Amino acid sequence: EVQVVESGGGSVQAGGSLRLSCAASGLTFDDYAIGWFRQAPGKEREWVSCMDVNDGRKFYADSVKGRFTISIDNSKNTVNLKMNNLKPEDTAVYYCAVRRGGADHYPLHAANTYHYWGQGTQVTVSS
């Protein structure tokens, strides 16, 4: 059974930093991508970043480019999202998701192309 678990959310002031982690277990396939999405109250789920685990390619939404960094820790089988210079508009529940087949073939922002999801972790940025 595939399990996806996020951790690392919290509350910070604007300009601060947080690091989210995503641990995916029970995977029986090698070709996959890890994506991060977020959903603020009253808004649709928004794609934030994605990493193709096979070849290491990284992708970012324009809204977070230059502030967020996605990386993989192979020793811990986790994918991290380091968030710097956080803004109040970054406040949301952040979700990690696994997509079989890697980062190609489908739009990265299409949430329905991701097969496994975590429960989400809250990030709150105060001004």
Side-chain angles (χ1 to χ4, degrees):
E1 179 186 0
V2 175
Q3 289 190 325
V4 180
V5 180
E6 305 97 337
S7 61
S11 298
V12 294
Q13 290 190 327
S17 300
L18 283 173
R19 188 181 75 170
L20 306 182
S21 293
C22 174
S25 60
L27 300 175
T28 59
F29 42 88
D30 296 327
D31 188 16
Y32 64 97
I34 298 283
W36 285 97
F37 289 76
R38 65 188 182 187
Q39 188 165 18
K43 294 188 176 181
E44 293 188 354
R45 191 166 294 191
E46 174 192 18
W47 173 74
V48 173
S49 179
C50 178
M51 181 174 187
D52 189 306
V53 174
N54 263 359
D55 59 25
R57 286 178 294 156
K58 304 173 183 180
F59 308 88
Y60 301 95
D62 288 342
S63 58
V64 306
K65 199 172 293 183
R67 299 188 299 122
F68 290 12
T69 302
I70 192 170
S71 63
I72 189 167
D73 184 340
N74 286 314
S75 65
K76 298 181 180 179
N77 293 321
T78 60
V79 170
N80 300 313
L81 185 70
K82 181 65 185 302
M83 306 183 295
N84 294 325
N85 190 21
L86 282 161
K87 304 175 181 180
E89 51 263 42
D90 294 318
T91 295
V93 177
Y94 283 70
Y95 297 91
C96 176
V98 176
R99 184 166 91 172
R100 299 184 65 165
D104 298 317
H105 311 302
Y106 302 100
L108 295 172
H109 63 272
N112 62 355
T113 65
Y114 290 77
H115 302 89
Y116 307 99
W117 290 80
Q119 79 289 350
T121 185
Q122 177 71 46
V123 171
T124 303
V125 184
S126 58
S127 57

Coordinates of all heavy atoms in Angstrom, one line a residue, residues 34-38 44-51 59-64 108-111 114:
I34 N 7.3 13.5 -7.8 CA 6.7 14.0 -6.6 C 6.3 15.5 -6.8 O 7.1 16.3 -7.2 CB 7.7 14.0 -5.4 CG1 8.1 12.5 -5.1 CG2 7.1 14.6 -4.2 CD1 7.0 11.7 -4.4
G35 N 5.1 15.8 -6.5 CA 4.6 17.1 -6.7 C 4.1 17.7 -5.4 O 3.7 17.0 -4.5
W36 N 4.2 19.0 -5.3 CA 3.6 19.8 -4.2 C 2.5 20.7 -4.7 O 2.7 21.4 -5.7 CB 4.7 20.6 -3.5 CG 5.6 19.8 -2.6 CD1 6.9 19.4 -3.0 CD2 5.4 19.4 -1.3 NE1 7.4 18.7 -1.9 CE2 6.6 18.7 -0.9 CE3 4.4 19.6 -0.4 CZ2 6.7 18.2 0.4 CZ3 4.5 19.0 0.9 CH2 5.7 18.4 1.3
F37 N 1.4 20.6 -4.0 CA 0.3 21.5 -4.3 C -0.1 22.2 -3.0 O 0.3 21.9 -1.9 CB -1.0 20.7 -4.7 CG -0.8 20.0 -6.1 CD1 0.0 18.9 -6.3 CD2 -1.5 20.6 -7.1 CE1 0.1 18.4 -7.6 CE2 -1.4 20.0 -8.4 CZ -0.6 18.9 -8.6
R38 N -0.9 23.3 -3.1 CA -1.4 24.0 -1.9 C -2.8 24.4 -2.2 O -3.2 24.6 -3.3 CB -0.5 25.1 -1.6 CG -0.5 26.3 -2.6 CD 0.6 27.3 -2.2 NE 0.6 28.4 -3.1 CZ 1.5 29.4 -3.1 NH1 2.5 29.4 -2.2 NH2 1.5 30.4 -4.0
E44 N -9.0 27.2 -5.2 CA -8.8 25.9 -5.8 C -7.4 25.5 -5.4 O -6.5 26.3 -5.1 CB -9.0 26.0 -7.3 CG -10.4 26.2 -7.7 CD -10.6 26.1 -9.2 OE1 -9.6 25.9 -9.9 OE2 -11.7 26.2 -9.7
R45 N -7.2 24.2 -5.5 CA -5.9 23.6 -5.3 C -4.9 24.1 -6.4 O -5.2 24.1 -7.6 CB -5.9 22.1 -5.3 CG -4.7 21.4 -4.8 CD -4.9 20.0 -4.5 NE -5.8 19.8 -3.3 CZ -6.0 18.6 -2.7 NH1 -5.4 17.6 -3.1 NH2 -6.9 18.6 -1.7
E46 N -3.7 24.5 -6.0 CA -2.8 25.1 -6.9 C -1.5 24.3 -6.9 O -0.9 24.0 -5.8 CB -2.5 26.6 -6.4 CG -1.4 27.3 -7.1 CD -0.9 28.6 -6.4 OE1 -1.2 28.7 -5.2 OE2 -0.3 29.4 -7.1
W47 N -1.0 24.1 -8.1 CA 0.3 23.4 -8.2 C 1.5 24.3 -7.8 O 1.4 25.5 -8.2 CB 0.5 22.9 -9.6 CG 1.9 22.3 -9.8 CD1 2.3 21.1 -9.4 CD2 2.9 22.9 -10.6 NE1 3.6 20.9 -9.8 CE2 4.0 22.0 -10.5 CE3 3.1 24.1 -11.2 CZ2 5.2 22.3 -11.2 CZ3 4.3 24.4 -11.9 CH2 5.4 23.5 -11.8
V48 N 2.4 23.8 -7.0 CA 3.5 24.6 -6.5 C 4.9 24.2 -7.2 O 5.6 25.0 -7.7 CB 3.6 24.5 -5.0 CG1 4.9 25.2 -4.5 CG2 2.4 25.0 -4.4
S49 N 5.2 22.9 -7.1 CA 6.5 22.4 -7.6 C 6.4 20.9 -7.9 O 5.5 20.2 -7.4 CB 7.5 22.7 -6.5 OG 8.8 22.2 -6.9
C50 N 7.4 20.4 -8.6 CA 7.4 19.0 -8.9 C 8.8 18.6 -9.2 O 9.6 19.4 -9.7 CB 6.5 18.7 -10.2 SG 6.5 17.0 -10.7
M51 N 9.1 17.4 -8.9 CA 10.5 16.8 -9.2 C 10.3 15.4 -9.8 O 9.6 14.6 -9.2 CB 11.3 16.7 -7.9 CG 12.7 16.2 -8.1 SD 13.7 16.3 -6.6 CE 15.3 15.8 -7.2
F59 N 10.7 21.6 -11.3 CA 9.8 22.5 -11.9 C 9.1 23.3 -10.8 O 8.8 22.8 -9.7 CB 8.7 21.8 -12.7 CG 9.3 20.8 -13.7 CD1 9.6 19.5 -13.3 CD2 9.6 21.2 -15.0 CE1 10.1 18.6 -14.2 CE2 10.1 20.3 -15.9 CZ 10.4 19.0 -15.5
Y60 N 8.9 24.6 -11.1 CA 8.2 25.5 -10.1 C 7.2 26.3 -10.8 O 7.3 26.8 -11.9 CB 9.3 26.4 -9.5 CG 10.4 25.7 -8.8 CD1 11.6 25.4 -9.5 CD2 10.3 25.3 -7.5 CE1 12.7 24.8 -8.8 CE2 11.3 24.6 -6.9 CZ 12.5 24.4 -7.5 OH 13.5 23.7 -6.9
A61 N 6.1 26.6 -10.0 CA 5.2 27.6 -10.4 C 5.8 29.0 -10.4 O 6.7 29.2 -9.5 CB 3.9 27.6 -9.5
D62 N 5.4 29.9 -11.2 CA 6.0 31.2 -11.3 C 5.8 31.9 -9.9 O 6.7 32.7 -9.5 CB 5.3 32.1 -12.3 CG 5.6 31.6 -13.7 OD1 6.7 30.9 -13.9 OD2 4.9 32.0 -14.7
S63 N 4.8 31.7 -9.2 CA 4.5 32.3 -7.9 C 5.6 32.0 -6.8 O 5.7 32.8 -5.9 CB 3.1 32.0 -7.4 OG 3.0 30.6 -7.2
V64 N 6.3 30.9 -7.0 CA 7.2 30.5 -6.0 C 8.7 30.4 -6.5 O 9.6 30.2 -5.7 CB 6.8 29.2 -5.3 CG1 5.4 29.2 -4.8 CG2 7.0 28.0 -6.3
L108 N 2.1 19.3 -15.5 CA 2.5 19.1 -14.1 C 1.4 19.7 -13.1 O 1.3 19.2 -12.0 CB 3.8 19.9 -13.9 CG 5.0 19.3 -14.7 CD1 6.2 20.2 -14.5 CD2 5.3 17.9 -14.2
H109 N 0.7 20.7 -13.5 CA -0.3 21.3 -12.6 C -1.6 20.5 -12.5 O -2.5 20.9 -11.7 CB -0.6 22.7 -13.1 CG -1.2 22.8 -14.4 ND1 -0.5 22.8 -15.6 CD2 -2.5 22.8 -14.8 CE1 -1.3 22.9 -16.6 NE2 -2.6 22.8 -16.2
A110 N -1.8 19.5 -13.3 CA -3.0 18.7 -13.4 C -3.1 17.8 -12.2 O -2.5 16.7 -12.2 CB -3.2 18.0 -14.7
A111 N -3.9 18.2 -11.2 CA -3.9 17.4 -10.0 C -4.5 16.0 -10.2 O -4.1 15.1 -9.5 CB -4.8 18.1 -8.9
Y114 N -2.1 12.9 -10.6 CA -1.3 12.4 -9.5 C -2.1 11.3 -8.8 O -3.3 11.5 -8.6 CB -1.0 13.5 -8.5 CG 0.0 14.5 -9.1 CD1 -0.4 15.5 -10.0 CD2 1.4 14.5 -8.7 CE1 0.6 16.4 -10.6 CE2 2.3 15.4 -9.3 CZ 1.9 16.3 -10.2 OH 2.8 17.2 -10.7

